[in-house]
Amino acid sequence: MTKFDEATQAIRVDDSTYDVCLDDGYSMSGPLNGGYLLATVLRAAVGASPHAHPVSTSAQFLRAPVPGPATVRVEQLKTGRTATMIRATLVQDGRPYIETLVTTATLDEAAVPDWSSGPSAPMPDPAGCVKLPEPKPESRMNFSTQIELLFDPPTIGWLSGEPTGRPESRAYFRMAEPQDPDPYVLAFAVDALPPVVFSAGARGWAPTVELTWHLRALPAPGWLTLLGSGRLISDGWFDEDVEVWDSAGRLVAQSRQIARVGRG
């Protein structure tokens, strides 16, 4: 079991209850990363389903939980031969923090696409990509030590005061501890990029309000490619779309979230 597997494990208490322990190692200057929280909730949802994979997840982030014990309450809404729909709620100290609707199914690892478009944006070879500077210990960006990101240089121009002016973020991704990507790693990955509004000139923590993501295929081992973009920044809100491509060149996950523009 990897550190990530351990940090996201859900222990079954009964048919509708799973115990989890939220790990401070995935905090971002205080709040826990939303993708990490989703991966934790999905462990419980899949555990309560006869199907093996979370193919569609819609999550409302009601408030920010803190590291420590929590519970995932699950309710099976409908089940069938090909799919099961489950409501899963992350609860801490008796209050709901994340409300999700999850559709589970069992994907074929050997499936070949009938048709697929290519990536929405080109990426340079990893050798032409760069890492962000290591965060200062007092920043409490603990989650950055759990992953490796190699960025397309123009999309981190904001770091030197030269943002592109477009909402975008692109990087290669993998876990810092060797681990082949799986659906839970993908749930983490879709929320692992810096907010795309950074490249449009915004700064500060950008809290996710709603995030929907789809598992499109089971990923091959190796680096994942994350392509993030936005369509509109207005009235303190922005949207962020992320495509995840695996090392075999397959689209394995898609997400869209709406979030608040950070202050800072």
Side-chain angles (χ1 to χ4, degrees):
M1 180 181 289
T2 67
K3 291 179 182 178
F4 179 73
D5 291 341
E6 184 175 1
T8 57
Q9 69 177 326
I11 299 172
R12 184 180 183 275
V13 177
D14 56 40
D15 289 347
S16 62
T17 310
Y18 286 76
D19 282 345
V20 299
C21 188
L22 305 180
D23 192 329
D24 187 54
Y26 296 84
S27 64
M28 305 185 305
S29 300
L32 291 161
N33 174 263
Y36 160 71
L37 293 170
L38 280 186
T40 304
V41 171
L42 289 175
R43 294 276 191 193
V46 172
S49 170
H51 301 291
H53 305 120
V55 297
S56 179
T57 304
S58 177
Q60 299 283 342
F61 290 79
L62 308 178
R63 49 187 63 87
V66 298
T71 299
V72 180
R73 296 176 182 165
V74 296
E75 177 188 0
Q76 192 175 102
L77 303 178
K78 178 184 177 182
T79 189
R81 185 176 59 85
T82 60
T84 294
M85 291 75 172
I86 290 174
R87 176 183 289 116
T89 306
L90 180 70
V91 177
Q92 193 172 58
D93 296 327
R95 302 179 72 196
Y97 280 75
I98 302 175
E99 187 76 50
T100 71
L101 292 175
V102 183
T103 299
T104 60
T106 300
L107 300 182
D108 180 358
E109 189 172 1
V112 177
D114 297 318
W115 182 89
S116 175
S117 65
S120 61
M123 273 289 285
D125 186 87
C129 293
V130 296
K131 293 184 177 181
L132 290 177
E134 292 294 327
K136 297 178 180 179
E138 61 269 22
S139 72
R140 294 186 61 206
M141 282 292 290
N142 299 340
F143 109 108
S144 65
T145 66
Q146 310 292 340
I147 59 177
E148 292 184 38
L149 288 170
L150 298 177
F151 288 90
D152 187 6
T155 69
I156 55 169
W158 49 266
L159 195 64
S160 57
E162 299 178 351
T164 63
R166 300 182 301 274
E168 58 185 357
S169 188
R170 297 186 292 273
Y172 293 102
F173 169 100
R174 67 183 177 189
M175 302 301 294
E177 180 182 12
Q179 177 174 1
D180 290 340
D182 62 15
Y184 306 104
V185 170
L186 292 179
F188 184 28
V190 297
D191 197 40
L193 289 169
V196 294
V197 288
F198 283 12
S199 283
R203 299 299 290 269
W205 179 51
T208 300
V209 175
E210 192 274 345
L211 188 152
T212 294
W213 82 280
H214 304 301
L215 171 66
R216 304 308 314 278
L218 300 177
W223 286 97
L224 298 170
T225 300
L226 311 183
L227 305 176
S229 62
R231 299 295 298 275
L232 177 68
I233 306 168
S234 177
D235 197 24
W237 295 86
F238 72 97
D239 58 85
E240 178 172 311
D241 292 345
V242 175
E243 301 171 11
V244 185
W245 297 77
D246 72 1
S247 61
R250 297 179 305 164
L251 180 66
V252 293
Q254 300 164 280
S255 72
R256 168 167 285 184
Q257 65 172 280
I258 189 164
R260 295 291 294 168
V261 176
R263 302 172 190 169

